Amino acid sequence: MKRTAISFACVAAAIAAAAAQSPSRASFGLTAVDGIRVGHHTLAERPTGCTVILVDGDAAGGVSQRGGAPGTRETDLLNPLNMVDKVNAVVLSGGSAFGLEAATGTVRWLEEHNIGWPAGPAKVPIVPAAILFDLGVGGNPKVRPGADCGYKAAEAANAGAVQEGTVGAGAGATVGKLAGPNRSTKSGLGTASISLPNGLVVAALVAVNAVGDIIDPSNGKVVAGVRNPDGTFADARKILRAGGTLQRPRAGENTTIGLVATNARLTKALATRMALMADDGFARAISPSHTNGDGDTIFSLATGRWDGNADITTIGALAAEAMADAVVRAATQATSVAGIPAARDLKK
Amino acid sequence: MRVALLLLVAASVAHPHADARLKPSRDDVANDTITSIPGIRVGHYTLTERPTGCTVILVDGGAVAGVAQRGAAPGTRETDLLHLANAAARIDGVVLSGGSAFGLDAANGAERWLDERGVGSKTSVSHVPIVPSAVLIDLWVGGKPHIRPGAECGRRAAAGATRQPVAQGTIGAGAGATVGKLLGRDHAMKGGIGSAGVVLPGGLRVAAIVAVNPLGDVIDPKNGAVLAGARAGDGSFADARRLLRSGAATVLSSLPADNTTIAVVATNARLTGAEATRLADMADAGYARAIAPVHTLADGDTVFALATGSWQGAHGAVDVTAIGALAADVVAEAIVRAIREATGVAGVPAARDLPQ
């Protein structure tokens, strides 16, 4: 009892301190959205980990689940027909379906901080999550993010600039697997944001572990993907067009998972439309996208801290733009690991 | 007559990029549109009173089908039938039509035409033709919004359906289509209908037909350039992406609801209903790559996918990832072609009308 009271006081102090530190909010990336904090935890034993997106208070949420091999939790709750319309945190994790356990740790952390949906005798933390498959990267597949990962990432969450690359849920992420894992390129986690003069902020964060190649939509070029022996990119689009032999993507061995957030106020239905439109960022920056071997999923959060007027078409279109930017950054910010080269380490 | 004329135009316009990339086998050189899929026939009917019309895609022998409906303002019929939880049926044709929800009547004409020929799913008492449909809104183009494609349009388009290369541009469901409406109708450009297809050395075919009428701009995915879209005061492209990023697109509070892009993708592969649904969903990525913004509140974007099943692969193995990826490619290409083939109408200029 005493301990609870003490931890309560500590939390209150911590929250007050965080509020006082609002100038430390990042000017770029997901934490540019007022009310959003991000924490990573990366495992030491194998390149894998989890990333927790915490909402100060709560936010309206939505989801777009379009890949053919998803691993998710609490996505039914996000259906606009269902009742709960607030989200406290979202967890993105490596470790395939095992990694869903990371959300359990985040739920525990939130409960200790008295955050959640008021449900009679308890506050129930609402924590949707999605996972990606990275068990084949860097050794022992028994090493996976668990509850401890989700707890530590929540503990580490802050409003500063988000660390990108080979970190958190992106630690074991790879792309360009149409010709098998041996020709893949290291990818990771990326973030991007767009701030309009009127105060609207729309941002994205994504862990990119796609079957397909990463494309820069501004010029159509491959940023990271299937590698040729000489270190150049083969271009999955060309391989497919030529009818070349390719390894059929195996269900659950890939997956790109992300989140878009805005400081605008949205209903649950509009938050769902925002997630759906953000998915266009996947289509533009990943080719092919949404395959049967990808569990592509995008969550959306609307913190409602900004009272200005913005329509969902603007917000959704910017979410798609920010998401495409974040996908490209996940590929350009990644560092090589476990013998899988990142784009920055390949000769130009 | 008009169809034949446009056909000549379509045939005479070179597609150097497409030719180089598709490498069609010799007998397909003349047709890299959706009618290159065995069993698929296409007919347009364009009204004379106002630029609008409908396009009927017929499938001889029927096809397994799926749908991806991702725009927020759809006008459709028989999409519930395509839901995986419902009884699997082979569909006999798809109708794409202008005229907003009124244009759904066109499918009735196509259905009647099929009924007269004994085509359809067999029931205990008769054949029932299954004809899903989707519409786009073009009521503002050319005045006289009470002129819309009806059952007669669908009937005539079905009767005119052929295996010839599909006529493209300002015709059929694309007759009244426009693009680039982010700054309002006065800044819009002409959209249209386009078709593209690919043939792989192993015999797999994947093709698309798209009636392109989005709120957003049309982008060439190969280089990110605007091909047609909202025009600034000086006639240059405003670039919807730049407008949105700058926060200057304030007109959005009164968005014109004159939009929606509708398509059919088809393959000769044998797919299950679930795979056809995945095919439609992956094909939808072609919209995202060639249109910005897309899937808005003011777009009813819908993609139907058809699998005729005449090709089963070398070892009976069909990979929906490859087919879906190619479908996204040909959808994007068909959108680009719709813009290149479109001709200006009712004061709305086409890309070809702008100074180079």
Side-chain angles (χ1 to χ4, degrees):
Chain A
M1 196 64 128
K2 260 180 198 164
R3 271 178 84 170
T4 311
I6 288 167
S7 72
F8 242 104
C10 289
V11 171
I15 289 172
Q21 287 167 1
S22 62
S24 70
R25 182 161 290 287
S27 58
F28 181 81
L30 195 72
T31 45
V33 176
D34 195 12
I36 299 284
R37 287 180 285 153
V38 175
H40 299 302
H41 184 71
T42 311
L43 272 59
E45 303 91 324
R46 187 176 75 77
T48 187
C50 68
T51 298
V52 171
I53 297 93
L54 281 188
V55 182
D56 297 334
D58 54 30
V63 67
S64 169
Q65 200 295 300
R66 295 187 59 230
T72 58
R73 61 168 255 167
E74 292 281 44
T75 47
D76 277 331
L77 174 142
L78 294 175
N79 183 331
L81 290 173
N82 295 335
M83 182 260 309
V84 172
D85 61 355
K86 298 294 183 200
V87 171
N88 303 113
V90 174
V91 177
L92 307 178
S93 181
S96 189
F98 303 110
L100 287 173
E101 191 190 315
T104 301
T106 304
V107 166
R108 193 180 310 146
W109 188 91
L110 288 165
E111 187 181 27
E112 288 174 10
H113 293 72
N114 197 34
I115 295 168
W117 179 267
K123 281 191 178 171
V124 180
I126 307 299
V127 185
I131 51 86
L132 57 79
F133 185 101
D134 57 7
L135 300 181
V137 175
N140 189 356
K142 296 274 186 200
V143 175
R144 310 139 185 168
D148 185 57
C149 184
Y151 188 94
K152 286 181 173 163
E155 186 75 20
N158 65 82
V162 178
Q163 193 188 346
E164 297 173 278
T166 302
V167 65
T174 55
V175 299
K177 286 165 276 191
L178 267 180
N182 295 336
R183 291 175 66 185
S184 68
T185 300
K186 186 70 186 79
S187 174
L189 182 136
T191 188
S193 63
I194 298 168
S195 301
L196 296 194
N198 66 0
L200 174 70
V201 181
V202 179
L205 178 146
V206 65
V208 182
N209 188 48
V211 170
D213 289 0
I214 305 309
I215 310 294
D216 183 342
S218 67
N219 58 24
K221 293 204 169 100
V222 179
V223 178
V226 176
R227 282 176 294 125
N228 289 319
D230 66 356
T232 58
F233 294 122
D235 197 335
R237 297 166 297 186
K238 277 186 202 148
I239 296 176
L240 287 162
R241 279 264 179 173
T245 50
L246 48 89
Q247 294 203 359
R248 190 181 298 210
R250 282 178 287 190
E253 304 215 350
N254 309 284
T255 293
T256 300
I257 47 180
L259 178 141
V260 288
T262 179
N263 59 354
R265 189 175 300 275
L266 297 179
T267 62
K268 198 177 175 187
L270 290 179
T272 304
R273 173 65 42 188
M274 179 189 183
L276 185 152
M277 288 182 73
D279 219 314
D280 292 330
F282 278 11
R284 290 171 187 149
I286 304 171
S287 186
S289 60
H290 308 111
T291 74
N292 258 349
D294 285 291
D296 300 341
T297 303
I298 297 179
F299 296 103
S300 62
L301 296 173
T303 67
R305 304 295 180 88
W306 174 73
D307 279 330
N309 266 327
D311 62 290
I312 187 63
T313 292
T314 298
I315 294 170
L318 292 177
E321 293 275 312
M323 182 54 82
D325 288 352
V327 169
V328 170
R329 288 185 66 86
T332 57
Q333 302 302 303
T335 46
S336 305
V337 78
I340 305 168
R344 64 167 67 187
D345 295 324
L346 295 169
K347 65 178 180 187
K348 299 293 173 206
Chain B
M1 190 59 132
R2 188 155 172 206
V3 175
L5 244 165
L6 274 161
L7 252 168
L8 280 174
V9 172
S12 67
V13 172
H15 293 287
H17 60 286
D19 290 344
R21 284 173 66 184
L22 297 183
K23 294 197 185 91
S25 60
R26 216 166 273 128
D27 53 324
D28 296 311
V29 167
N31 191 359
D32 58 0
T33 69
I34 196 168
T35 47
S36 64
I37 309 268
I40 301 267
R41 288 180 290 145
V42 172
H44 297 299
Y45 187 73
T46 311
L47 273 58
T48 52
E49 302 93 323
R50 185 176 75 77
T52 188
C54 67
T55 298
V56 173
I57 297 93
L58 295 179
V59 196
D60 296 335
V64 172
V67 66
Q69 200 296 299
R70 298 190 61 237
T76 60
R77 68 171 241 170
E78 292 281 43
T79 48
D80 277 331
L81 175 138
L82 298 179
H83 195 276
L84 289 176
N86 295 334
R90 289 179 79 82
I91 66 135
D92 301 294
V94 177
V95 177
L96 307 179
S97 182
S100 188
F102 303 109
L104 287 172
D105 191 31
N108 296 324
E111 171 134 19
R112 200 175 309 143
W113 187 86
L114 288 166
D115 183 34
E116 288 166 9
R117 279 148 192 84
V119 175
S121 293
K122 203 172 175 183
T123 70
S124 59
V125 288
S126 81
H127 290 264
V128 178
I130 306 297
V131 186
S133 178
V135 296
L136 58 81
I137 312 190
D138 57 7
L139 298 179
W140 68 277
V141 177
K144 298 184 276 188
H146 60 283
I147 304 290
R148 312 134 185 173
E152 184 61 16
C153 182
R155 183 189 175 78
R156 288 185 185 226
T162 75
R163 294 216 52 210
Q164 295 298 306
V166 177
Q168 303 175 58
T170 302
I171 187 171
T178 52
V179 306
K181 286 160 272 188
L182 216 60
L183 295 174
R185 292 169 181 168
D186 296 344
H187 300 260
M189 287 181 63
K190 192 69 189 73
I193 195 162
S195 185
V198 60
V199 185
L200 296 195
L204 172 69
R205 292 164 189 256
V206 185
I209 183 166
V210 190
V212 183
N213 187 49
L215 174 73
D217 290 358
V218 172
I219 311 294
D220 187 344
K222 284 203 289 295
N223 55 25
V226 178
L227 292 174
R231 289 166 297 139
D234 64 358
S236 65
F237 293 133
D239 194 337
R241 297 164 298 184
R242 218 178 299 154
L243 272 180
L244 288 161
R245 280 190 183 248
S246 71
T250 49
V251 74
L252 295 190
S253 52
S254 58
L255 276 180
D258 309 312
N259 313 298
T260 292
T261 300
I262 47 182
V264 174
V265 295
T267 177
N268 60 349
R270 175 164 302 198
L271 300 181
T272 64
E275 288 170 331
T277 303
R278 171 66 43 197
L279 174 60
D281 205 47
M282 286 186 73
D284 183 274
Y287 281 16
R289 291 174 190 149
I291 303 170
V294 70
H295 305 120
T296 75
L297 273 195
D299 284 286
D301 302 334
T302 303
V303 180
F304 294 102
L306 313 179
T308 63
S310 62
W311 180 85
Q312 294 177 56
H315 311 287
V318 165
D319 178 11
V320 76
T321 292
I323 299 170
L326 293 169
D329 253 19
V330 293
V331 163
E333 215 161 285
I335 292 169
V336 167
R337 286 189 183 180
I339 295 308
R340 297 217 163 109
E341 300 297 333
T343 44
V345 78
V348 182
R352 64 172 66 191
D353 300 327
L354 297 185
Q356 293 304 301

